[in-house]
Amino acid sequence: MSAPPASQPTVLDEIVAGVLEDLDVRRAATSEADLRAALADVDAPRDPMPHFRDAASSVIAEVKRKSPSKGELADIPDPAALAREYAAGGAAAISVLTEQRRFSGSLEDLRAVRAAVDVPLLRKDFIVTRYQLLEARAAGADLALLIVASLPGDLLDRLHDYARELGLTVLVEVHDEAETERAVELGAELIGVNARNLKTLAVDPDTFGRLAPLVPADRVLVAESGIAGPTDVQRFVDEGARAVLVGEALVKQGAPRDAVAAMTGLTR
């Protein structure tokens, strides 16, 4: 009897495989002990949660050059300058993509932004190891992203616990009902609902409204993907979002400060 055909790798599988290859290179250059030593020179983590719990909308503004779905988005030679514009516009936090192959990001971008602004910073990457969490904190991140879809078994729990030990606020990202249930059971305080399916890259703008009712009211919900302007932000705020994570819409137009300001402070 022949074996069943192997399933084709998803986009997410391919991204994580590349992340692990690049991680091996960084591990060879910088040991975990070196990263731990570097923590002594990093400021205490900034807490974004009071801002996120405010009744009005908060914006997590993203430094994003490229994406697997849209390709090149913007030439960002100076991520620090962009971050200063975001901060001036009232961003509650700034997300810095550090994945290299599909997003053209780096830890150097994160360090540059950290040196430029005082607002909380999110390391946006495909984090699947404790080492990456140490990297994030050593580079000055205050938040780290954990994507439920890429963390099977108890790996999500272990990385969530370790991130909290490091003082990081964890944004736990979900895409469907089962992942939302895992995030809630984990006790995640900050839950991001991504309208983009990372396995196919398709966007369903109804995802947030479908999943938000599954999350207890004492958690903070973040809407991710498919946000083009204040009208979209208002829709998600009305559906229960306290914050929105926006990248493409901010980097593709010429006034990021004004764009962040226009999305900030919306209420039901």
Side-chain angles (χ1 to χ4, degrees):
M1 183 176 182
S2 60
S7 60
Q8 292 295 316
T10 66
V11 175
L12 180 60
D13 292 333
E14 293 172 350
I15 291 174
V16 171
V19 164
L20 290 172
E21 289 179 10
D22 294 338
L23 178 59
D24 286 341
V25 175
R26 297 199 305 277
R27 273 178 162 158
T30 306
S31 70
E32 187 168 318
D34 290 336
L35 289 177
R36 290 186 179 280
L39 295 180
D41 298 322
V42 178
D43 291 341
R46 296 157 178 81
D47 184 3
M49 295 306 293
H51 203 311
F52 290 161
R53 288 191 180 281
D54 191 276
S57 62
S58 295
V59 174
I60 305 172
E62 192 155 80
V63 177
K64 184 177 187 179
R65 294 187 176 89
K66 185 178 176 182
S67 78
S69 60
K70 298 292 183 67
E72 299 289 342
L73 298 175
D75 180 27
I76 306 175
D78 188 353
L82 177 59
R84 283 191 287 267
E85 287 295 294
Y86 286 160
I94 295 173
S95 169
V96 182
L97 271 155
T98 59
E99 197 278 334
Q100 177 182 349
R101 300 189 182 199
R102 301 295 187 103
F103 294 89
S104 295
S106 69
L107 283 165
E108 286 69 30
D109 287 344
L110 180 59
R111 295 186 189 101
V113 171
R114 175 75 292 156
V117 298
D118 289 328
V119 299
L121 298 187
L122 166 69
R123 182 187 184 183
K124 181 90 173 289
D125 210 320
F126 297 82
I127 295 175
V128 291
T129 67
R130 288 164 55 105
Y131 184 93
Q132 291 165 286
L133 292 170
L134 265 177
E135 282 183 319
R137 186 80 275 274
D142 309 290
L143 303 92
L145 177 72
L146 293 180
I147 302 171
V148 175
S150 64
L151 300 171
D154 67 349
L155 183 56
L156 173 65
D157 303 69
R158 290 188 281 115
L159 291 183
H160 183 270
D161 290 347
Y162 187 59
R164 299 299 295 151
E165 286 177 24
L166 292 172
L168 290 161
T169 298
V170 184
L171 174 58
V172 178
E173 182 176 291
V174 303
H175 305 84
D176 61 27
E177 286 80 0
E179 292 176 9
T180 303
E181 182 178 347
R182 284 187 69 196
V184 170
E185 290 180 352
L186 176 70
E189 186 179 14
L190 186 64
I191 298 176
V193 177
N194 194 341
R196 187 180 302 282
N197 184 325
L198 293 183
K199 298 178 181 179
T200 66
L201 300 184
V203 174
D204 177 0
D206 295 329
T207 301
F208 187 91
R210 190 177 75 249
L211 300 183
L214 306 179
V215 178
D218 63 338
R219 317 296 175 89
V220 173
L221 279 168
V222 181
E224 304 176 33
S225 294
I227 299 168
T231 299
D232 295 321
V233 176
Q234 187 65 65
R235 170 187 175 175
F236 292 127
V237 168
D238 290 342
E239 292 177 343
R242 294 287 183 86
V244 292
L245 194 157
V246 189
E248 180 182 343
L250 299 180
V251 301
K252 289 184 70 173
Q253 55 86 37
R257 179 189 305 200
D258 294 341
V260 169
M263 297 180 189
T264 297
L266 303 179
T267 58
R268 295 194 193 189

